[in-house]
Amino acid sequence: MLGFLAGAALAGAQAPLSWPILLFVGLPVLFRLLDGCRGPIGGALLGWAAGLGYFAADLFWIVEPFMVDAARFGWMAPFALAGMAGGLALFWAAAFGLARAVWPPGPSRVLVLAALWTFADYARAHVLTGFPWGLPAYAWIETPVAQTAALFGPHVLGFLTLVAGLSLGLATWRGAAMAAALVAAGWTLGMVRLAAPAPERAEPVIVRLVQPNARQEEKWLPGKDAEFFQRLIDLTRAPADPMPDVTLWPETAVSFVLDDDPAAQALAAAATGPAGRLITGIRRVELWPQGQVWFNSLAVLAPDGAEQGIYDKHHLVPFGEYIPKAGLVARLGIPGLETLTGGGFSPGPGPRLVAPPGLPPFLPLICYEAIFPDGARAPGGRPEWIVQLTNDAWFGEVSGPYQHLAQARARAIEQGVPLARAANTGISAMIDARGEIVESLGLGRAGYIDVALPGALPPTLYFMLGDWPGLAAIAFIFVLTVTNFYGGISLTRQR
């Protein structure tokens, strides 16, 4: 039970609370508990209990999508939360069990657990399409320490975070000094990065972020679609001096299918004015030999309605946008949440840059794609900005949208480029290249903001190198720690 509570306490370090001090409560407790475990099985059970507490607390928003159509899907909500939390906790169980199996004496066991925990979270980010939500690094998003992600990304920052918190579990002055030194170093590096002048673009680009606030339970109702479409048009037409160069609408902002209603498409594009561009989320369909194939897409429209760029979401939400093992699920009689949007989607070919005429090239991310650090890198060079279109109405209004926003801010820091975010019900925001929110629209509000696109910073070390050098360094530390311990035992026995 104490392991479960310590894991739940760690969730308080994530948004919306964002209290990183809780890292230095939960992590030392878990370290001491692991010290007292009997063997790898005891360690694995502790890790699973801690993970269950953490993911249940951090992901409780996951019940919200099932409440959109509670009559059909409400019964699935508790099973979904329990299954998700319990399944993700298995990664922590593996890390704790392996750590206890090689548990050396002295301070080196901090490095053993921190390294294995980091690799478990990296595996969580990739296995079965991956789900890197709530990584330890995001606990620092409201502090200067988050800026160090520009150097080595979220996984190395997570490793250092774990080392700092677990060191307090040693209950020695050396452990406390290690924790203080790591936090102070991260804070200092972050302050240096934040102290530099914010970059500005040589050629200004004014971006309008439109937030229609279409409630998910109403979004697809007959008659409501016309109301929400008109709201988007009215917000886009609102006068300004100067008028925006580009307007962003959220994910699946309109109910019509791209190219299926040319009049509506032209009306939407014309609302931006004679010199504007519209970037909108939209559904798209292609006719393949096996039938209609649907895509969750981003479209760039010229003022006359002509398409100037298309991107198809490639990292889809399991059970939300497609059904893994669809045949088995159908035989079990379990409906998919994707039926709420009219059908399942197919994945696009992968990340890529979009470079419409008259706009700086950007990397498109649709909703869920923003939670993947390595998904913010695309072939074709470095973008000048990132565009995220999302519908966070699925996430409720308690924690999910705040956590999603925190991860979008992390992508801006890691890549060193600004990120423009249009969200259906919020939080829409312009985020600069250091992850700072320039301007935003809060949850549950309809409206728009006009804001100048910030400039990009020079390419970050993380952009150039990615995760592998940092992970290799952690692996080296782990191997060196373990071999030194067991090599020392072998030499002692030989003597």
Side-chain angles (χ1 to χ4, degrees):
M1 177 56 75
L2 188 54
F4 178 89
L5 294 175
L10 293 177
Q14 301 288 335
L17 294 179
S18 298
W19 293 346
I21 190 65
L22 292 176
L23 295 169
F24 302 97
V25 176
L27 290 174
V29 170
L30 290 174
F31 181 85
R32 300 301 293 182
L33 289 174
L34 188 58
D35 243 351
C37 285
R38 292 185 177 181
I41 293 178
L45 291 174
L46 172 64
W48 187 80
L52 184 66
Y54 177 78
F55 292 112
D58 192 52
L59 300 176
F60 73 89
W61 54 265
I62 209 168
V63 304
E64 295 286 351
F66 298 91
M67 296 297 107
V68 171
D69 189 349
R72 296 172 62 198
F73 300 106
W75 65 273
M76 298 170 63
F79 297 101
L81 179 58
M84 178 70 83
L88 294 175
L90 293 174
F91 290 96
W92 288 23
F96 277 58
L98 288 172
R100 199 63 184 83
V102 297
W103 202 235
S108 59
R109 61 198 195 278
V110 166
L111 298 176
V112 166
L113 178 56
L116 289 170
W117 198 336
T118 299
F119 288 127
D121 272 339
Y122 184 81
R124 172 166 69 88
H126 292 85
V127 172
L128 298 176
T129 78
F131 190 67
W133 196 282
L135 295 175
Y138 303 146
W140 300 107
I141 198 66
E142 298 292 350
T143 76
V145 177
Q147 300 299 313
T148 60
L151 297 176
F152 34 64
H155 294 293
V156 175
L157 177 53
F159 170 74
L160 297 174
T161 298
L162 293 173
V163 170
L166 295 171
S167 292
L168 290 182
L170 295 170
T172 66
W173 71 266
R174 288 186 176 87
M178 172 64 77
L182 286 172
V183 173
W187 205 283
T188 301
L189 288 171
M191 289 295 291
V192 169
R193 191 168 192 258
L194 290 171
E200 297 182 2
R201 290 187 55 83
E203 298 180 3
V205 175
I206 304 300
V207 181
R208 174 168 291 184
L209 305 176
V210 173
Q211 184 169 297
N213 194 35
R215 295 176 61 86
Q216 192 59 40
E217 58 268 29
E218 299 178 341
K219 183 176 172 64
W220 302 101
L221 292 178
K224 281 289 186 179
D225 53 349
E227 176 185 333
F228 293 137
F229 181 62
Q230 188 60 50
R231 185 180 299 173
L232 286 163
I233 296 294
D234 292 342
L235 291 170
T236 303
R237 284 175 173 166
D241 187 18
M243 285 296 289
D245 300 291
V246 58
T247 297
L248 271 58
W249 288 4
E251 176 188 19
T252 57
V254 294
S255 60
F256 62 82
V257 177
L258 188 64
D259 293 333
D260 199 38
D261 191 339
Q265 187 171 318
L267 179 62
T272 63
R277 297 290 187 278
L278 177 65
I279 300 177
T280 181
I282 199 163
R283 295 178 300 155
R284 195 174 68 84
V285 64
E286 291 183 359
L287 188 61
W288 289 11
Q290 65 268 36
Q292 289 186 336
V293 178
W294 290 79
F295 298 93
N296 185 355
S297 303
L298 171 151
V300 184
L301 303 180
D304 62 357
E307 297 170 19
Q308 293 189 329
I310 292 290
Y311 165 75
D312 298 321
K313 184 177 182 180
H314 71 279
H315 212 138
L316 302 176
V317 181
F319 299 100
E321 292 177 309
Y322 77 103
I323 298 295
K325 305 294 184 184
L328 174 62
V329 172
R331 286 195 296 272
L332 293 175
I334 299 175
L337 290 178
E338 89 285 353
T339 58
L340 291 175
T341 59
F345 293 114
S346 295
R352 69 180 185 88
L353 299 187
V354 175
L359 289 179
F362 66 89
L363 175 73
L365 299 174
I366 299 179
C367 191
Y368 182 69
E369 292 179 322
I371 77 172
F372 296 92
D374 49 4
R377 306 174 73 201
R382 187 175 185 237
E384 294 186 31
W385 57 315
I386 298 172
V387 170
Q388 185 197 10
L389 308 184
T390 185
N391 179 16
D392 285 6
W394 288 107
F395 298 163
E397 297 185 353
V398 179
S399 63
Y402 296 99
Q403 293 172 4
H404 201 199
L405 174 64
Q407 292 169 92
R409 294 174 64 185
R411 302 295 85 82
I413 294 170
E414 293 156 5
Q415 303 301 315
V417 297
L419 185 149
R421 186 175 200 265
N424 172 22
T425 56
I427 303 165
S428 299
M430 178 63 77
I431 300 165
D432 72 15
R434 299 174 300 188
E436 299 287 285
I437 296 177
V438 178
E439 196 166 347
S440 65
L441 266 173
L443 280 175
R445 294 173 52 194
Y448 69 90
I449 51 176
D450 292 340
V451 58
L453 179 66
L457 290 165
T460 64
L461 189 63
Y462 181 68
F463 169 78
M464 293 185 287
L465 299 180
D467 289 312
W468 286 107
L471 292 172
I474 296 170
F476 177 76
I477 291 170
F478 172 76
V479 171
L480 188 64
T481 300
V482 173
T483 53
N484 277 350
F485 169 60
Y486 285 102
I489 291 178
S490 178
L491 287 172
T492 301
R493 287 175 177 170
Q494 288 176 14
R495 289 172 185 162

